[in-house]
Amino acid sequence: MKSNIHIITILSLLFITAITSQAQEAKVLLDEVSNKVKSYDNIAITFKYTLNNTKENIKQDTRGDITMQGEKYILNMMGMIRIFNGSTIYTIVPEDEEVTISTYNEQEDKGILVSELLTFYEHGYNTKMDVLQTVKGRKIQFIKLNPINVNAEIKDILLGIDMQTKHISKLIQTDSSGTNYTITIISFSTNQSISETLFNFDEDKYREEGYYINKLD
């Protein structure tokens, strides 16, 4: 009996050590990715976004692009343009000829900073190494993230890291209902020459074009 208990204890320790090692490996890799992202003056990305809910038989694909500089960004996706200049969010919907203007509130608008897309994983998740895949000749290491908050709507996230560039290549998020949201990076450009006015919003221009300006308090 003592012998069996001893073997179980050893196996348990080996299992715990393996988990700890995986978590440390994942943290080291994510730190590399984060440090590299933060070293760039700006980042421009084109991507494919897929929503897949097998229970409801829903699958939607769309493409988009985003340019980020610090916290500022301009996002084009699903017929909408969103501009964040560091303090104010402008959501432009050309089809409806409408602009919604709102002031960013750090306490109320958690998660609204699209600029954190490439560094969101730094807080609030337990991480471990997952599968290593070869995609179009490139080694993609996936890391699994589980929310520390057990009541979070997100069940888990798989983050694919290009091992050559140390850039994020894919993000697969599964929520508690089983719906998958996938972002696949198509192109990733850095330190581009961008206009100083890229993140500015010209309200007069849109008023002259007949847009309805909706200002939220």
Side-chain angles (χ1 to χ4, degrees):
M1 179 66 73
K2 287 184 178 180
S3 176
N4 289 339
I5 292 174
H6 185 61
I7 292 172
I8 292 171
T9 301
I10 292 174
L11 290 174
S12 297
L13 287 172
L14 287 173
F15 181 67
I16 292 170
T17 301
I19 291 175
T20 303
S21 176
Q22 282 193 347
Q24 290 174 341
E25 285 183 63
K27 185 180 185 308
V28 169
L29 180 54
L30 289 175
D31 283 346
E32 284 188 70
V33 174
S34 179
N35 290 335
K36 196 158 191 182
V37 164
K38 291 174 181 177
S39 73
Y40 299 130
D41 180 56
N42 58 67
I43 298 172
I45 294 172
T46 59
F47 60 88
K48 177 180 152 183
Y49 173 79
T50 302
L51 182 155
N52 191 11
N53 185 322
T54 53
K55 291 182 180 178
E56 302 293 334
N57 196 28
I58 297 173
K59 184 172 182 181
Q60 298 175 345
D61 289 317
T62 188
R63 290 171 69 107
D65 62 80
I66 181 171
T67 299
M68 299 176 281
Q69 185 172 49
E71 290 188 347
K72 300 178 181 179
Y73 66 81
I74 178 166
L75 168 70
N76 294 278
M77 182 178 171
M78 300 178 72
M80 175 198 73
I81 302 168
R82 172 170 282 182
I83 301 171
F84 180 59
N85 63 10
S87 61
T88 306
I89 302 166
Y90 303 91
T91 303
I92 307 162
V93 185
E95 184 177 354
D96 298 334
E97 295 189 338
E98 181 175 354
V99 176
T100 300
I101 302 174
S102 59
T103 301
Y104 173 70
N105 185 309
E106 184 176 0
Q107 299 303 316
E108 296 179 1
D109 300 327
K110 293 184 183 300
I112 204 167
L113 284 182
V114 178
S115 52
E116 294 180 353
L117 171 67
L118 302 178
T119 56
F120 74 92
Y121 50 78
E122 292 180 330
H123 306 287
Y125 294 91
N126 292 316
T127 61
K128 66 177 182 179
M129 302 294 275
D130 205 89
V131 297
L132 176 65
Q133 294 183 347
T134 300
V135 182
K136 296 181 179 179
R138 304 184 76 88
K139 297 292 185 183
I140 307 297
Q141 174 65 61
F142 281 87
I143 295 176
K144 192 168 188 177
L145 293 82
N146 292 102
I148 294 173
N149 181 0
V150 294
N151 296 317
E153 292 184 7
I154 297 172
K155 179 184 175 184
D156 59 56
I157 295 173
L158 280 171
L159 205 58
I161 309 297
D162 186 316
M163 295 302 288
Q164 179 178 333
T165 63
K166 296 300 191 294
H167 292 162
I168 294 173
S169 68
K170 179 170 284 192
L171 182 154
I172 306 169
Q173 175 181 308
T174 303
D175 66 20
S176 55
S177 69
T179 302
N180 291 329
Y181 306 88
T182 302
I183 295 176
T184 304
I185 305 299
I186 298 171
S187 68
F188 193 113
S189 304
T190 62
N191 298 337
Q192 301 295 293
S193 177
I194 62 176
S195 170
E196 294 181 0
T197 62
L198 180 63
F199 306 105
N200 294 348
F201 175 75
D202 189 343
E203 185 174 334
D204 291 338
K205 170 193 168 186
Y206 284 93
R207 286 192 182 278
E208 290 173 2
E209 292 180 1
Y211 276 66
Y212 170 70
I213 308 296
N214 181 22
K215 294 186 178 182
L216 303 179
D217 294 331

